[in-house]
Amino acid sequence: MESEGSQSEEPVLCENAGQGGALADEKNPPVQVSAVSNGGDSDVGKEMVDLKIIWNKNKYDLKTPLDATGANLKERIHSLTGLPPAMQKVMYKGLLPEDKTLREIKVTNGAKIMVVGSTINDVLAVNTPKEVIQQEVKAEENKKEPLCRQKQHRKVLDKGKPEDVMPSLKGAKERLPTVPLSGMYNKSGGKVRLTFKLEQDQLWIGTKERTEKIPMGSIKNVVTEPIEGHEDYHMMAFQLGPTEASQYWVYWVPAQFVDAIKDTVLGKWQYF
């Protein structure tokens, strides 16, 4: 029985030595093989291929079974580099398919495998430009701070509620009145009135100096927020262009008309 076991090993060793192109010696020991295992990730007894893995300007030598799939290769690259498989792009004559074996895509001994991707630590360590960080911090602060507390709005709200502003009803929803909404302030603290010309699909923003006739379809968004301490009134912005810099602010809008204004301007006309 022992002689049979030793005879079964010899041809396998010779076969692998032939594939490597040289006989085994002390400096280049042969791949250690024995009987093929029943499952598991052992490479024993499998036909191997030597690869050069190139990632992040580093080179790694990797010996892997020729019948390993692209997905198996990604796992081995993960062990070498710490780069998670989900974050790897592995390329050999194009993007390496995960469901095919290296033999099927004709990977040869000594082939160079290119890997692209960043570890989670690399992503977290990316240096963000200082000005971008400052903008993000400022934006986050603005989100946390109510609009009515921001300096640009306080100068108007500190004037107090206009004496001739229209009466408000907190918690109520009413349709737009047949008369213009008046007695409100704009951003410069001047009086402003809003007239909704439904038949012309226009919003007229009127001040003492002039009246702007704005197509409702050109208004990108409507932003509203209750005024702190006077929640029965809102401050409201009509965004007339692509950025927030184009917002036209109106203060002391009666709360009962807020939903009707938004629905009318944004295309959801309501007839109560």
Side-chain angles (χ1 to χ4, degrees), residues 23-269:
L23 294 174
D25 55 29
E26 292 181 358
K27 294 183 180 179
N28 298 291
V31 178
Q32 195 172 11
V33 295
S34 61
V36 178
S37 63
N38 294 320
D41 294 329
S42 175
D43 296 337
V44 178
K46 298 178 182 178
E47 186 176 354
M48 308 296 284
V49 63
D50 290 308
L51 304 176
K52 294 287 185 183
I53 306 298
I54 302 172
W55 171 70
N56 202 20
K57 298 182 181 179
N58 296 317
K59 295 182 180 179
Y60 304 84
D61 292 324
L62 175 64
K63 185 183 291 288
T64 190
L66 195 56
D67 289 313
T69 64
N72 298 146
L73 180 60
K74 282 189 171 186
E75 292 292 343
R76 289 175 181 255
I77 292 172
H78 180 206
S79 300
L80 275 178
T81 65
L83 182 63
M87 301 182 75
Q88 296 177 23
K89 280 190 177 180
V90 182
M91 286 169 283
Y92 175 74
K93 298 180 180 179
L95 194 63
L96 190 79
E98 291 193 3
D99 57 341
K100 291 189 177 181
T101 66
L102 304 185
R103 188 190 301 276
E104 287 176 315
I105 59 177
K106 296 180 172 54
V107 173
T108 58
N109 212 43
K112 292 181 179 180
I113 305 294
M114 303 296 296
V115 180
V116 178
S118 299
T119 64
I120 295 174
N121 289 337
D122 290 337
V123 173
L124 295 177
V126 171
N127 291 324
T128 307
K130 186 176 180 180
E131 59 272 15
V132 174
I133 294 175
Q134 291 174 342
Q135 290 174 4
E136 290 178 350
V137 170
K138 186 176 180 181
E140 191 63 29
E141 288 176 349
N142 287 341
K143 286 180 182 177
K144 294 179 181 178
E145 184 180 31
L147 292 169
C148 59
R149 294 185 190 176
Q150 295 177 20
K151 185 177 179 180
Q152 59 175 323
H153 302 301
R154 286 295 348 153
K155 62 182 182 181
V156 179
L157 294 174
D158 286 346
K159 290 166 62 75
K161 183 170 66 174
E163 293 182 359
D164 57 344
V165 71
M166 298 178 70
S168 64
L169 293 172
K170 184 179 178 180
K173 292 184 180 181
E174 294 188 3
R175 64 180 181 181
L176 292 174
T178 55
V179 297
L181 294 177
S182 60
M184 300 169 292
Y185 288 140
N186 59 18
K187 198 169 184 178
S188 62
K191 287 295 183 67
V192 64
R193 64 184 178 277
L194 302 176
T195 306
F196 297 88
K197 295 288 186 178
L198 302 184
E199 68 281 0
Q200 299 175 38
D201 197 25
Q202 292 180 344
L203 168 62
W204 290 11
I205 302 177
T207 62
K208 185 178 179 181
E209 293 79 21
R210 60 181 179 178
T211 298
E212 296 281 352
K213 300 180 179 181
I214 303 168
M216 291 187 192
S218 68
I219 300 175
K220 310 300 181 184
N221 195 16
V222 178
V223 177
T224 69
E225 183 182 286
I227 297 174
E228 196 171 47
H230 299 274
E231 284 74 12
D232 49 339
Y233 287 95
H234 281 229
M235 48 191 291
M236 177 177 289
F238 300 98
Q239 188 169 322
L240 307 180
T243 66
E244 292 184 2
S246 61
Q247 289 177 337
Y248 188 98
W249 283 96
V250 178
Y251 304 85
W252 302 101
V253 179
Q256 68 269 27
F257 300 130
V258 167
D259 286 345
I261 291 173
K262 291 175 68 174
D263 289 344
T264 298
V265 170
L266 298 177
K268 301 177 182 177
W269 289 11

Side-chain angles (χ1 to χ4, degrees), residues 1-9:
M1 294 296 291
E2 292 181 2
S3 61
E4 288 179 3
S6 60
Q7 288 177 2
S8 63
E9 282 187 341

